[in-house]
Each structure stands twice: as C-alpha cells, then as structure tokens.
Amino acid sequence: MSIVREPRSIARKFLARPQQEGLGAVVRRSIGRFELRYFDPFIVLDEFSVSAPAGFPDHPHRGFETVTYMLQGAVTHEDFDGHKGTIKAGDLQWMTAGRGVVHSEMPATEGIQKGLQLWINLSSKHKMIQPRYQEISSANIGETTKDGVKVRVIAGEALGIKSTIHTKTPTIYLDFTLKPGSQIQQPIPKSYNSFVYILEGEGVFGQDSRTNSPISSHNLLLLSGFGDGLVAWNKGTKILRFILVGGEPLGEPIVQLGPFVMNTQEEIDQTIEDFENYTNGFEKARYWRSQARVELGY
C-alpha cells in the first residue's frame, strides 16, 4: 500500500446528531452546523434518512456543487430543466448547480432511504457557470480490494484506481471498508483540507494506533493541515466503513443564505432578486413544479 510518511492527526471531532430537515427528513449534519459553519471548500455534509412521503421537495441552489451518494434505497431527482432520474444504492450524482438549479429529491421506493450529501463550494470564477450533472451507477464506480481493505473511488485516486469525475474544485472522495485487523495508508495532497466521516463500526485514526482510542460511527474527524496522508486501523471485530474527503481550499470570502452560496452580500441580494423574478438562470422555475410536488398537492 501507499506509504504515508507524515500521518495527519485529528484536529477536531464532532458527533453528528439527528435533526429535521426538508419535509420530514432526518439528517445528521456534521459540516454546516453552528460549531462548523464552513470547512473550506466544504459547505455541508449530511447523512440523511428519509421515508415517503417525507423528502426534499422543490428547492433552489446557486454557487456550489452537490454530491449525492446513496447508501440504501433510492431517491428520485427531478429539476426545472427536465433532467430526472433515480439515484439507487451505491450510485453517485455530482451536480454542479452553478448559476442556478431548482430541483426536488424524493424517496423512490418504500422503506427508509439513506445517503450522504456533500456541498462543495465553487470559486468566484465558476459560481455562475452553466449547471452540469455527472452521474455514475454503482456498477461503474471504480473499486478494488487489497489486504482486507475495499475502496470505492468517488473522486480522486486510491490503490491505483482513478475516478472519472471531473471536479471544478480539486477534490478527493473515497469510501473505505476495512475488515477487522486491517489498516490503510492513503496519501492526501498537502495543500488539501480533509476530513473523515465514519459510517459503520469503529476505527483508530491518526499517528499512533497504540495511544489513540477507537472512534465510532456518525463522528466527523477534521484532520490537521500537517502531513501527507491518513493512516487508519480497524482493531475491532466488525467492519469499519468511512469516507475520506479532501479538497483544495479556495481562500475566498463566503456569504451564504440557505441554498445560495456566493462571495459577497451584494451577490446574495442579486441571487434573491433573480430567484424571485425568474431571471438570470432561474427563468424555467416560473411555471415548473416537480411531479412529487404535484402529487403531494401543494
């Protein structure tokens, strides 16, 4: 496996607790909460759980990218430009909202649908680009297994596997599963901010497996800015699953109003005006209603 000479340590740890979001959905928000409003370039990280008729009905975005990665079940996505489809377990949708998207995300099947949604900021030069989708089915996401470690490469590269996703903001997004007794060393570009979010089991992360205590699921670990990679161990009796995400900081001012993320208050004011008047990227929102909204009758 790759050699990490200077493992990054854990700088901060947050337990993501359940909260209500959207229309009756439950999310565990780790980035975007009051203790951690922004972790450049990451705006929000939600682990969501939703069952019909709850969901995320018609809502807008501008100025960033949303990355939806399904863990269980499926959600139906539909936007004001006619783009629609179903994101199933293991599937990925990388949506560049750019100058503006209005869409809905609703349960596609009965039972509980679970997934992750990450918001990645766009630089000022990319905030008003045309919207774009990159969608990859579970079967087409690159993955490999070695020495008890399985990795699915959402963005970036790991264990010799490269993702086909093109990221406007340089990003790595890796889904690791470690069998009991296994460990991983994963390089991280030195300039990147990075974090771990634990999905299942418990693991030891950082510089010394002998002194660090195991950390369990639903915890977000912000990694220090010093070091060239992550080292993690599964010393338990059950599998450990976590995501490792890193990105190049933009170092730009940020002003956020809900689903709008820009650089200045003036740009936010203009975005509100554009949205309310159906202009400058929101023209098609004037008469559009998602099928889910029509069926719910509002």
Side-chain angles (χ1 to χ4, degrees):
M1 292 190 180
S2 303
I3 300 299
V4 173
R5 296 182 181 276
E6 300 175 89
R8 295 193 179 197
S9 60
I10 299 170
R12 298 175 73 186
K13 180 178 76 170
F14 300 94
L15 176 63
R17 302 182 186 278
Q19 66 182 54
Q20 295 291 320
E21 188 79 11
L23 182 66
V26 176
V27 304
R28 292 177 180 267
R29 178 160 296 169
S30 48
I31 300 175
R33 54 200 270 171
F34 70 91
E35 307 101 319
L36 185 63
R37 289 296 186 190
Y38 183 53
F39 185 51
D40 194 3
F42 306 111
I43 305 162
V44 166
L45 177 65
D46 283 345
E47 180 185 1
F48 63 85
S49 178
V50 59
S51 301
F56 305 96
D58 307 11
H59 60 280
H61 294 294
R62 174 181 276 181
F64 60 97
E65 299 184 294
T66 68
V67 182
T68 304
Y69 183 42
M70 290 302 297
L71 303 174
Q72 173 184 313
V75 296
T76 295
H77 170 272
E78 182 183 358
D79 80 4
F80 69 169
D81 198 34
H83 185 94
K84 62 175 63 178
T86 300
I87 313 169
K88 301 176 182 178
D91 291 354
L92 170 74
Q93 182 194 74
W94 198 293
M95 183 185 81
T96 304
R99 68 200 304 257
V101 164
V102 179
H103 71 160
S104 69
E105 300 151 297
M106 301 295 287
T109 61
E110 294 182 356
I112 299 175
Q113 330 298 318
K114 294 183 178 181
L116 298 170
Q117 189 166 92
L118 176 68
W119 294 10
I120 306 175
N121 202 4
L122 287 168
S123 66
S124 57
K125 66 182 179 182
H126 290 139
K127 283 192 176 294
M128 294 296 287
I129 62 175
Q130 289 294 329
R132 177 191 181 193
Y133 291 90
Q134 298 176 83
E135 293 168 320
I136 305 180
S137 66
S138 181
N140 290 321
I141 291 178
E143 72 173 57
T144 190
T145 302
K146 184 177 181 181
D147 298 331
V149 174
K150 182 178 83 169
V151 63
R152 308 190 82 221
V153 183
I154 309 303
E157 180 178 0
L159 301 183
I161 301 294
K162 289 185 178 181
S163 170
T164 59
I165 289 289
H166 172 72
T167 64
K168 287 293 185 184
T169 301
T171 305
I172 60 169
Y173 188 146
L174 309 171
D175 175 6
F176 283 106
T177 301
L178 276 62
K179 289 183 177 179
S182 62
Q183 70 166 14
I184 180 67
Q185 297 185 41
Q186 172 60 39
I188 302 169
K190 285 195 172 185
S191 61
Y192 281 22
N193 282 336
S194 59
F195 66 85
V196 165
Y197 185 76
I198 304 172
L199 296 169
E200 186 177 352
E202 59 178 29
V204 177
F205 301 85
Q207 296 171 318
D208 192 340
S209 67
R210 298 166 296 180
T211 58
N212 289 353
S213 300
I215 302 174
S216 57
S217 58
H218 310 303
N219 272 288
L220 176 84
L221 312 179
L222 296 188
L223 302 181
S224 71
F226 303 99
D228 61 354
L230 173 73
V231 180
W233 296 263
N234 182 356
K235 294 198 165 190
T237 58
K238 299 179 180 179
I239 68 164
L240 164 64
R241 187 180 183 189
F242 63 89
I243 60 167
L244 169 64
V245 179
E248 185 77 54
L250 299 176
E252 296 181 353
I254 177 173
V255 180
Q256 179 178 359
L257 181 66
F260 304 137
V261 183
M262 304 301 286
N263 295 109
T264 67
Q265 185 60 49
E266 290 75 19
E267 290 171 343
I268 288 291
D269 294 342
Q270 182 63 54
T271 297
I272 295 169
E273 183 177 323
D274 291 343
F275 179 61
E276 291 180 344
N277 294 310
Y278 310 108
T279 58
N280 202 21
F282 291 111
E283 289 84 355
K284 294 183 180 179
R286 182 184 294 273
Y287 303 109
W288 180 78
R289 299 293 183 272
S290 68
Q291 185 62 39
R293 184 172 177 180
V294 172
E295 291 173 356
L296 288 170
Y298 73 97

